[in-house]
Amino acid sequence: MNWKSFFLGLSVGVVSGFATKQILDANAFVSPEKALANAKELFKQSGPISGSWIQMKTEPYEKQNLSYTVYKGGISRFTEESMEQYEFIADAATGSIIETVKLV
């Protein structure tokens, strides 16, 4: 076996594998569970939460002429007066919360 051919093939395989991983990682979304965990951390700063949910499918969303792919979810918590419910929109690419709305 020719060692030059072997190492050339090995090098091409490693480089193409690395490039493929980089491309796939750039297009990957965070899991819905991760986005929900981020939302819970945000809401826990204002007090304990009693329930939460998130949609597992992404959907398109536009805010201030910017387009996002998002997860939608909700958080509920009990305060001294009543139960509060919030809806949140999380960026599927980063998991960060884009918007929160208090439901009446």
Side-chain angles (χ1 to χ4, degrees), residues 62-82:
E62 187 171 318
K63 182 177 181 177
Q64 299 176 350
N65 294 326
L66 296 173
S67 297
Y68 299 94
T69 302
V70 299
Y71 295 114
K72 289 187 177 181
I75 300 282
S76 60
R77 67 171 158 215
F78 289 103
T79 62
E80 295 160 358
E81 299 91 35
S82 64

